[in-house]
Amino acid sequence: MTTPPETIVVGRREEAEADLAREIAALVREKPRVVLGLATGDTTAGLYRELARLRREEDLDFGRVVTFNLDEYLGLAPEHPGAFARWTRERVFEPLGISEGSRHVPSWGAAADSASWTISERCRAYEESLREAGGIDLQILGIGRNGHIAFNEPPTPRESRTREVRLHAWTREDAARVFGSLGEVPTRAITIGIGTILEARRIRVLAFGSRKAGIVARALEGPVGPEVPASFLRGHPDLRIWLDREAARELDSARPAPRS
Ligand code: F6R
C-alpha cells in the first residue's frame, strides 16, 4: 500500500513558496550544514527568490548549507545560458551565498580534473559525494508535463540511480524557449535517479498552472509505475506537495461530487 501524500492546494503560488521557504529556513537554523536537493525551472524560481529575501531581511545564513542539483544537460559549458549550472549560480548559489565547495552539479564530477572523466565515472562520483555528505535532508522538486522528476523520463524504473539519459520530446520542446530553438536543446543529460530521490529524508514538490493539471492527477491518483515517474513519490514517508488551483483541477478530490 502506498502512503497518501500530503497535498496542499493554495490560491496563489506565492503562498506555497512562502510555506516551503519557511520550512527550509527552520531546517537551516536547526542544522546549518543541511543538505538541500535543488530543482531548476520556472516552478521553483519564486521559492529561491523568497529564500534570498529571508537571507537579506531575516539574516538567514546559508554559509554552511550543502546543495546537490538534480540534473544537467550534457554538452554545455557551465556558463551556457541554458545550463542549469548557470541558472543555479544566478538564482541560488550567489543570492543565497552557498559556498563554492558546497555546490554540486551532476555533470561537474567531483574533482578539478574531472573534465577528463567518463560520464559513468561522473555519475558514480556524484552518488559517492551524496553519500559522503550524509544524503539529502530536503529535496525540492518540480514535475515535468510528461511526469518526469529530475530528468527521469517515462518509462523510468523505481530503482534508477544517477546516469546519462536521452531527453523526451516534450522536455526538449519545453526547453526550446530558453535555448532559442528546438535544434539548440541538447538531446542528452545527466540526472539523479528515482531511487536516489526517494532516499531524501523529506521530499517537497511544487506544481503550478493548468499545463500541469493532467499529469498531477495521473501522478497522485493514477497507477504507480514507470510510465509516470512522479507517481513513485507516493511511496515516500515524508512527502508534501503544493498545488495551485489550476494544477489541482483534474484531481478527483477537486471535482464536484456526482448528483444522485
Ligand atoms: C529541473 C528538473 C525538472 C523540472 C520540471 C518542471 O531541474 O529536474 O524535472 O522540475 O521539468 O519544470 P518547470 O518548473 O520549468 O515547469
Side-chain angles (χ1 to χ4, degrees):
M1 216 185 85
T2 54
T3 313
E6 190 187 337
T7 307
I8 302 157
V9 180
V10 293
R12 293 166 52 248
R13 60 186 283 173
E14 290 79 5
E15 295 168 45
E17 291 159 2
D19 255 11
L20 179 50
R22 260 195 304 277
E23 178 178 3
I24 293 171
L27 203 54
V28 171
R29 290 197 170 101
E30 180 190 312
K31 180 183 178 188
R33 226 188 135 62
V34 69
V35 180
L36 297 180
L38 303 179
T40 57
D42 290 345
T43 309
T44 51
L47 167 70
Y48 300 129
R49 274 196 300 276
E50 177 60 11
L51 288 173
R53 188 190 67 77
L54 293 179
R55 179 185 184 218
R56 281 192 314 275
E57 296 177 14
E58 298 185 14
D59 278 337
L60 185 60
D61 182 4
F62 289 86
R64 296 180 59 203
V65 169
V66 178
T67 64
F68 283 84
N69 280 39
L70 284 173
D71 41 21
E72 180 60 292
Y73 297 106
L74 276 171
L76 299 184
E79 279 306 307
H80 185 286
F84 289 156
R86 173 161 174 181
W87 193 100
T88 325
R89 177 177 64 71
E90 292 175 347
R91 292 170 178 79
V92 187
F93 299 151
E94 289 178 356
L96 301 193
I98 307 291
S99 61
E100 287 200 17
S102 304
R103 310 168 179 181
H104 300 84
V105 175
S107 56
W108 288 353
D113 66 348
S114 60
S116 63
W117 291 15
T118 65
I119 291 167
S120 46
E121 281 168 344
R122 291 178 203 197
C123 294
R124 268 198 305 276
Y126 206 64
E127 292 267 346
E128 186 54 37
S129 323
L130 251 171
R131 261 192 304 278
E132 276 168 16
I136 295 172
D137 290 303
L138 185 148
Q139 176 65 59
I140 301 161
L141 286 181
I143 302 183
R145 277 193 299 140
N146 61 1
H148 75 205
I149 44 174
F151 275 152
N152 293 288
E153 308 283 32
T156 298
R158 189 185 186 288
E159 303 69 30
S160 52
R161 310 298 305 189
T162 303
R163 69 204 184 286
E164 178 178 355
V165 290
R166 176 176 290 283
L167 295 172
H168 189 273
W170 290 6
T171 303
R172 295 188 62 242
E173 276 167 31
D174 287 347
R177 188 174 43 85
V178 176
F179 283 85
S181 76
L182 184 59
E184 295 294 311
V185 183
T187 55
R188 309 194 72 89
I190 292 183
T191 183
I192 72 169
I194 305 279
T196 326
I197 291 172
L198 290 176
E199 284 168 9
R201 285 181 270 282
R202 302 185 197 186
I203 298 182
R204 301 294 183 252
V205 187
L206 301 171
F208 304 129
S210 53
R211 292 169 74 246
K212 301 287 172 76
I215 198 63
V216 161
R218 287 178 67 198
L220 300 188
E221 296 177 343
V224 173
E227 293 305 327
V228 182
S231 66
F232 286 120
L233 296 173
R234 281 152 61 193
H236 192 275
D238 192 345
L239 171 67
R240 196 170 297 158
I241 301 176
W242 284 267
L243 307 172
D244 63 5
R245 291 203 186 94
E246 290 73 32
R249 75 176 183 206
E250 290 188 31
L251 290 174
D252 280 341
S253 52
R255 295 204 181 103
R259 287 203 284 182
S260 50

